Amino acid sequence: MSSNSMADPRRPNKVLRYKPPSTENNPTLEDPTPDYMNLLGMIFSMCGLMLKLKWCAWIAVYCSFISFANSRSSEDTKQMMSSFMLSISAVVMSYLQNPQPMSPPW
Amino acid sequence: MRSLWIFLAVLFIHWGFSLAKFDEFEDGDDIVEYDDNDFAEFEDITEDVTTESPQRIITTEDDEEEATVELEGHDENQEDFDDADAQEGDTESEPYDDEEFEGYEEKTDASPSKSKDPITIVDVPAHLQNSWESYYMEILMVTGLLAYIMNYIIGKNKNNRLAQAWFNTHRELLESNFALVGDDGTNKEAISTGKLNQENEHIYNLWCSGRVCCEGMLIQLKFLKRQDLLNVLARMMRPACDQVQIKVTMNDEDMDTYVFAVGTRKALVRLQKEMQDLSEFCSDKPKSGAKYGLPESLAILSEMGEITEGMMDTKMVHFLTHYADKIESVHFSDQFSGPKLMQEEGQPLKLPDTKRTLLFTFNVPGSGNTSPKDMEALLPLMNMVIYSIDKAKKFRLNREGKQKADKNRARVEENFLKLTHVQRQEAAQSRREEKKRAEKERIMNEEDPEKQRRLEEAALRREQKKLEKKQMKMKQIKVKAM
């Protein structure tokens, strides 16, 4: 299968280890979505908790889900879990304080 | 997480049911009051006054109900009167015996007018209704979340299957060419893991190393974000492809100095704008590859014509023509340093590090709706990569080409130095001032006056020497100028 059918092109003595590309040099290559969504989720859940707005809390839940789906595997799971918990607590608190259903804006 | 949702759903269901029970009682009350009116028919007309008051109580709720009740009461009185007097004869059983019903009619006229108070019936607002249906927004939200989770699981699995299919197809070729296939950098020894590194739910890496000519090859499978529902919906508007990006780092001695790119016109225009080396060395617009037998869709960016001639040999042209739909871009460069960096302080103070690299970007066929079988179509492209590695080692510029290339590189470096000259001067100046300040501080902090005097003298002497040197230089320049 190798183009050089005469000799084996492999050189075990010339093996170089994998170095993960450093993302500090090129921040443009990083996808900013999970960080933005995390931040948005926290903001919305704080709004939902403080201002007792149910729709804010629901949007926060969605944001934390989106952030989780887009996150890199190297990222801290603690951060993800904390934003999840915050948004779910915002939803639960809004309903405990005011059990009436949400009214649509139209 | 799931159990929490189930618990909340159950809670809502119970709540809805418990509140719905109260509805039944209200209906029951109405029926009871209707029964009272049935018995009212046996009472005399004089007693109709009393029966009317319960009627009035009912009628505050609904005008229509009152009207029907009145009619019923009227009719029922009618009937019984008829029945009771049936034996007495026809004359007395006439329906509208005015004398008998005078007072009653007045009263019937009176009560409707009294109950025509301005009462408007208002719909009970949704948030006071105690039924489960009023929570439809919440149900919508939860359904949306469930849909998102389902899509996440399905998308993640699909991407995983695609990656595995790709690796299974290419494993043999890679293992026959590289000593190390698969490395995540964490093991102590350099042993092939034989697995892809999963960076994300949609990005998979593979590092191969241990071959002649090249230091290593990094393959990135950049799939579409199938696990994110938002992305899936966005892709319905704007179709996109899965991509395979291959970056081969060459040894310095195994590649000559040239910059060359071939690919779709759109991709090349974008690369020319973004990439540092392409923008500096290939200043012309992408040229059509038809001259070399390439299809119209492909264009070429090259530092000089000789490189294009050398690169476009029969086998390469064959590869490019046959798989043109899958090729996004092919970029060979000895001055590769990545995309242009945008720094806040203006230009960076020194040239970025360059590496001899071959970059390939391939589009997976299927434009989004790929299946694992499509991965087999990419195998010939990997053959092209291997062929390119060997070719890059063999291809050498002739003397003229080499001279041109060296001149180009010197020119670029000079331009860069000129641009940053001012900044570098400022940096050097600030460094000198720092040193002086540090010296002065040391002198001031010296408590021993003797030492202080000596240090001051030494500093003065150094200053004088510098001045003398400068003067000498100026004199020399003047002499040369003359």
Side-chain angles (χ1 to χ4, degrees):
Chain A
M1 274 295 215
S2 63
S3 53
N4 191 355
S5 52
M6 309 254 263
D8 189 8
R10 290 178 286 183
R11 297 286 179 273
N13 56 334
K14 286 193 176 170
V15 161
L16 262 178
R17 296 305 303 274
Y18 172 61
K19 251 183 307 192
S22 135
T23 45
E24 288 150 22
N25 294 342
N26 25 21
T28 48
L29 291 180
E30 261 185 55
D31 181 21
T33 312
D35 301 322
Y36 279 150
M37 281 294 148
N38 221 356
L39 184 67
L40 266 182
M42 292 214 194
I43 291 173
F44 272 118
S45 54
M46 292 316 287
C47 278
L49 271 172
M50 305 291 179
L51 306 174
K52 299 187 189 153
L53 297 170
K54 293 198 178 79
W55 55 269
C56 270
W58 280 109
I59 292 175
V61 175
Y62 271 97
C63 281
S64 62
F65 265 96
I66 294 171
S67 170
F68 170 72
N70 282 303
S71 67
R72 298 170 273 278
S73 62
S74 56
E75 256 181 47
D76 214 0
T77 50
K78 275 185 275 186
Q79 174 118 15
M80 289 295 135
M81 292 313 295
S82 77
S83 80
F84 254 131
M85 291 296 131
L86 185 63
S87 53
I88 289 175
S89 72
V91 170
V92 170
M93 287 308 291
S94 323
Y95 278 96
L96 279 178
Q97 288 165 353
N98 181 15
Q100 311 305 334
M102 255 196 318
S103 54
W106 51 85
Chain B
M1 206 59 63
R2 284 261 171 118
S3 56
L4 184 66
W5 285 121
I6 295 169
F7 173 68
L8 276 173
V10 167
L11 204 68
F12 278 133
I13 292 168
H14 277 302
W15 198 343
F17 275 147
S18 62
L19 293 173
K21 278 189 197 157
F22 287 112
D23 283 342
E24 295 172 12
F25 277 114
E26 285 172 13
D27 288 337
D29 282 338
D30 285 339
I31 296 165
V32 170
E33 285 182 34
Y34 271 104
D35 284 337
D36 276 338
N37 286 330
D38 282 344
F39 290 112
E41 73 202 22
F42 292 114
E43 290 166 18
D44 290 340
I45 296 163
T46 49
E47 289 182 355
D48 278 341
V49 184
T50 53
T51 59
E52 274 169 28
S53 39
Q55 285 178 353
R56 258 190 238 127
I57 293 167
I58 309 159
T59 54
T60 44
E61 285 182 29
D62 199 343
D63 273 333
E64 289 176 344
E65 278 184 16
E66 170 217 328
T68 50
V69 163
E70 289 286 346
L71 276 171
E72 269 179 57
H74 184 87
D75 285 341
E76 279 160 353
N77 278 324
Q78 190 79 53
E79 268 178 77
D80 286 330
F81 207 74
D82 285 343
D83 285 341
D85 297 340
Q87 300 147 9
E88 290 177 359
D90 291 330
T91 50
E92 290 186 341
S93 65
E94 277 177 358
Y96 286 108
D97 199 350
D98 290 327
E99 290 174 13
E100 294 284 347
F101 286 101
E102 258 174 46
Y104 187 69
E105 274 180 21
E106 280 171 15
K107 281 170 195 159
T108 54
D109 286 333
S111 38
S113 62
K114 270 191 198 166
S115 55
K116 270 195 184 118
D117 292 337
I119 292 166
T120 51
I121 309 302
V122 181
D123 282 330
V124 180
H127 68 275
L128 293 176
Q129 285 173 16
N130 292 319
S131 76
W132 196 18
E133 290 156 357
S134 54
Y135 284 94
Y136 67 94
M137 284 293 285
E138 280 75 11
I139 293 171
L140 265 173
M141 288 289 190
V142 173
T143 318
L145 274 177
L146 285 175
Y148 193 91
I149 293 172
M150 292 285 294
N151 175 260
Y152 174 79
I153 294 172
I154 293 172
K156 183 170 90 127
N157 285 338
K158 173 128 198 226
N159 277 346
N160 206 2
R161 267 183 298 134
L162 286 174
Q164 286 309 314
W166 181 91
F167 190 51
N168 291 336
T169 324
H170 290 73
R171 184 198 292 262
E172 209 183 303
L173 176 62
L174 290 172
E175 281 180 352
S176 66
N177 270 292
F178 290 93
L180 174 74
V181 174
D183 182 23
D184 55 6
T186 54
N187 292 345
K188 263 194 283 187
E189 291 163 18
I191 305 175
S192 296
T193 59
K195 276 193 301 183
L196 297 162
N197 288 347
Q198 186 173 1
E199 200 179 290
N200 240 331
E201 302 298 343
H202 63 284
I203 299 183
Y204 291 82
N205 286 341
L206 184 71
W207 172 255
C208 304
S209 184
R211 192 185 193 276
V212 292
C213 322
C214 63
E215 283 181 6
M217 174 165 84
L218 178 66
I219 305 174
Q220 273 195 319
L221 302 174
K222 289 200 169 156
F223 293 129
L224 302 166
K225 284 190 187 175
R226 292 188 176 81
Q227 79 275 13
D228 181 15
L229 188 60
L230 281 185
N231 211 285
V232 169
L233 296 172
R235 254 188 305 125
M236 290 185 185
M237 317 285 170
R238 210 166 20 121
C241 279
D242 297 312
Q243 280 193 336
V244 177
Q245 288 183 356
I246 301 174
K247 181 172 167 181
V248 182
T249 337
M250 302 290 284
N251 292 326
D252 284 343
E253 62 273 12
D254 287 324
M255 184 171 161
D256 211 349
T257 54
Y258 50 87
V259 176
F260 173 75
V262 68
T264 60
R265 200 167 282 271
K266 221 167 81 167
L268 284 187
V269 166
R270 187 177 41 89
L271 280 177
Q272 198 175 28
K273 258 193 286 186
E274 282 178 12
M275 291 295 169
Q276 179 93 10
D277 52 348
L278 282 176
S279 61
E280 281 175 359
F281 291 95
C282 306
S283 43
D284 301 331
K285 278 205 289 218
K287 284 193 262 239
S288 163
K291 207 169 32 154
Y292 301 95
L294 295 178
E296 273 304 311
S297 57
L298 294 178
I300 298 176
L301 262 182
S302 170
E303 195 182 348
M304 44 185 132
E306 185 199 334
I307 302 170
T308 325
E309 297 285 335
M311 277 291 148
M312 292 290 122
D313 61 352
T314 12
K315 205 158 179 199
M316 191 62 110
V317 171
H318 168 88
F319 272 125
L320 290 171
T321 333
H322 269 78
Y323 308 109
D325 56 334
K326 300 187 189 73
I327 294 173
E328 167 104 354
S329 72
V330 172
H331 177 192
F332 301 163
S333 170
D334 73 308
Q335 297 280 316
F336 180 73
S337 59
K340 280 196 209 170
L341 294 169
M342 299 296 161
Q343 286 194 350
E344 294 98 36
E345 314 90 64
Q347 298 281 352
L349 284 179
K350 64 181 188 79
L351 274 172
D353 290 328
T354 59
K355 206 97 186 67
R356 291 163 201 260
T357 14
L358 313 177
L359 296 140
F360 302 83
T361 310
F362 300 133
N363 293 329
V364 176
S367 88
N369 298 328
T370 38
S371 72
K373 273 195 281 230
D374 293 326
M375 293 302 171
E376 289 166 21
L378 293 173
L379 192 57
L381 290 170
M382 190 54 76
N383 280 326
M384 180 173 109
V385 171
I386 306 287
Y387 174 74
S388 306
I389 297 175
D390 292 326
K391 184 170 177 68
K393 177 175 166 94
K394 279 186 273 182
F395 178 71
R396 300 281 156 185
L397 294 165
N398 60 15
R399 203 149 39 107
E400 289 165 19
K402 193 87 177 77
Q403 276 178 352
K404 253 207 239 172
D406 288 337
K407 246 202 307 187
N408 279 340
R409 275 144 192 77
R411 172 182 50 90
V412 165
E413 205 179 320
E414 209 184 300
N415 286 342
F416 179 80
L417 287 175
K418 267 197 219 159
L419 278 170
T420 59
H421 181 69
V422 174
Q423 266 123 343
R424 274 184 302 121
Q425 257 194 340
E426 280 178 14
Q429 181 80 358
S430 59
R431 255 181 285 140
R432 256 179 277 145
E433 281 184 9
E434 268 296 323
K435 257 198 222 166
K436 265 199 209 159
R437 231 182 296 139
E439 273 270 2
K440 279 210 180 118
E441 259 195 61
R442 219 167 18 111
I443 292 171
M444 300 294 277
N445 291 341
E446 212 48 65
E447 285 182 1
D448 195 358
E450 271 284 327
K451 260 199 176 171
Q452 225 180 25
R453 217 182 345 113
R454 250 182 285 153
L455 281 167
E456 270 184 36
E457 278 175 13
L460 260 169
R461 250 179 282 146
R462 251 178 278 146
E463 286 265 354
Q464 274 182 342
K465 266 197 199 161
K466 269 198 195 154
L467 269 169
E468 277 176 25
K469 258 196 195 168
K470 260 196 184 165
Q471 281 171 355
M472 287 294 290
K473 263 195 186 165
M474 293 300 285
K475 276 192 192 159
Q476 278 179 358
I477 288 170
K478 275 190 188 160
V479 166
K480 274 191 187 167
M482 286 204 295

